[in-house]
């Protein structure tokens, strides 16, 4: 069931919109925390560094509607604005991004509306992130409401770059000088290289630890065999 507010009372309708989308943020946030805890239990490793959640302000929503030529109504807010509820998931490594996205997508009560992979296909500015628009059911007392949530998944390095880019473009109102745009693209390439090198380093460390553990297990197995042989010799005597 799609959420359609009662336009006869805009104040009550907006409060209901906030209630539904805040509940959606809690639902997705809890799912991510559970997945992170389970991953640590199974693999002794947390893929998620931290999670940021936010509800878009009415001013930002109205601005977005006007930008796309829509009238500022509650119905249009819900229908055309996909990021009223937004969650940003910050990971350590690029591989974690796809792992988290897959785990979320595979949950039966989550419906994927759209996927934008700005990691494989970065924006011209150099921006990288993995975007999902999903719906999650919110169980109210008298009905079930499907609420949309935008999920952005990125590494720590990607998030640092995106935060800096946002501040720069905000100061220039979206019209930054060309040399600054060029510098940002070059920085994005450096961030991408850093992510790749850190992932490679992490994989190497993981492989070294696995080899060390295998060697220790082998040594312990040999010691056990020697100990059992000594017992057999004593019994023969």
């Amino acid at each position: 069931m799609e959420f359609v507010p009662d336009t006869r009372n805009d104040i009550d309708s907006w409060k209901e919109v906030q209630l539904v989308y805040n509940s959606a943020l809690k639902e997705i946030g809890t799912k991510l925390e559970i997945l992170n805890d389970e991953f640590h239990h199974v693999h002794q490793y947390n893929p998620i560094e931290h999670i940021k959640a936010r509800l878009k302000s009415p001013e930002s929503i109205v601005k977005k509607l006007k930008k796309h030529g829509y009238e500022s109504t509650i119905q249009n807010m819900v229908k055309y604005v996909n990021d009223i509820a937004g969650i940003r998931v910050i990971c350590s490594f690029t591989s974690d991004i796809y792992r988290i996205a897959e785990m979320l997508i595979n949950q039966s009560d989550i419906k994927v509306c759209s996927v934008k992979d700005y990691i494989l296909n970065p924006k011209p500015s150099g921006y990288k992130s993995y975007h999902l628009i999903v719906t999650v059911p919110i169980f109210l007392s008298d009905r079930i409401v499907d609420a949309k949530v935008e999920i952005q998944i990125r590494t720590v390095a990607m998030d640092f770059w995106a935060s800096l880019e946002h501040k720069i473009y905000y100061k220039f109102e979206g019209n930054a000088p060309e040399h600054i745009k060029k510098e940002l693209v070059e920085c994005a390439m450096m961030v991408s290289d850093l992510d790749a090198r850190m992932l490679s380093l992490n994989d190497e460390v993981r492989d070294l630890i696995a080899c060390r553990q295998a060697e220790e297990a082998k040594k312990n197995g040999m010691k056990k065999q020697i100990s059992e042989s000594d017992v057999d010799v004593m019994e023969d005597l």
Side-chain angles (χ1 to χ4, degrees):
M1 173 181 174
E2 186 177 356
F3 175 53
V4 181
D6 183 2
T7 56
R8 289 173 298 181
N9 191 323
D10 285 344
I11 294 176
D12 286 345
S13 294
W14 174 243
K15 286 182 178 179
E16 189 168 359
V17 168
Q18 287 180 308
L19 167 67
V20 169
Y21 283 106
N22 269 318
S23 300
L25 289 176
K26 291 177 184 177
E27 287 281 351
I28 298 295
T30 300
K31 287 177 179 293
L32 288 166
E33 289 173 3
I34 291 171
L35 289 171
N36 201 36
D37 289 344
E38 182 203 11
F39 203 86
H40 184 268
H41 172 70
V42 176
H43 302 286
Q44 290 74 54
Y45 166 65
N46 290 111
I48 299 175
E49 291 285 340
H50 56 275
I51 301 168
K52 301 175 184 177
R54 67 101 184 95
L55 200 65
K56 208 174 188 69
S57 68
E59 294 79 12
S60 296
I61 296 172
V62 169
K63 185 177 179 180
K64 193 163 190 176
L65 284 172
K66 287 182 177 179
K67 180 181 177 181
H68 295 284
Y70 296 114
E71 186 181 352
S72 300
T73 64
I74 298 293
Q75 297 102 313
N76 285 346
M77 288 180 180
V78 175
K79 186 175 181 179
Y80 297 114
V81 182
N82 293 326
D83 61 344
I84 292 178
I87 284 189
R88 186 171 299 154
V89 185
I90 312 301
C91 309
S92 299
F93 307 106
T94 308
S95 57
D96 294 330
I97 294 173
Y98 295 100
R99 185 178 291 121
I100 292 164
E102 184 181 7
M103 289 190 293
L104 270 177
I105 290 170
N106 286 338
Q107 298 208 3
S108 60
D109 59 341
I110 287 183
K111 296 178 183 177
V112 179
C113 301
S114 69
V115 176
K116 292 182 180 179
D117 190 343
Y118 294 117
I119 299 171
L120 289 178
N121 303 290
K123 291 185 178 182
S125 64
Y127 175 86
K128 283 189 171 187
S129 186
Y130 192 90
H131 290 199
L132 287 167
I133 303 293
V134 304
T135 62
V136 62
I138 304 302
F139 292 82
L140 301 177
S141 60
D142 58 347
R143 66 196 187 282
I144 302 172
V145 177
D146 287 331
K148 286 183 287 188
V149 180
E150 181 189 57
I151 305 169
Q152 299 178 355
I153 315 175
R154 58 179 69 152
T155 64
V156 175
M158 291 176 193
D159 190 55
F160 170 74
W161 183 93
S163 177
L164 180 60
E165 185 220 24
H166 178 75
K167 290 176 183 177
I168 290 174
Y169 274 76
Y170 179 80
K171 289 178 181 178
F172 287 101
E173 296 182 348
N175 296 308
E178 287 302 318
H179 72 279
I180 290 180
K181 292 180 181 178
K182 183 179 179 182
E183 190 74 19
L184 279 169
V185 172
E186 290 178 3
C187 288
M189 293 172 65
M190 294 169 64
V191 165
S192 181
D193 181 60
L194 176 62
D195 271 334
R197 293 176 67 179
M198 292 301 292
L199 177 60
S200 177
L201 181 60
N202 181 68
D203 289 343
E204 184 178 351
V205 170
R206 185 184 59 190
D207 291 343
L208 287 170
I209 292 174
C211 288
R212 185 177 299 173
Q213 290 174 341
E215 288 176 2
E216 290 178 356
K218 186 177 180 181
K219 289 179 181 178
N220 290 335
M222 291 176 64
K223 288 180 181 178
K224 184 178 180 181
Q225 288 180 357
I226 293 171
S227 177
E228 290 174 349
S229 296
D230 290 342
V231 171
D232 291 339
V233 170
M234 291 297 292
E235 288 178 349
D236 291 340
L237 293 174

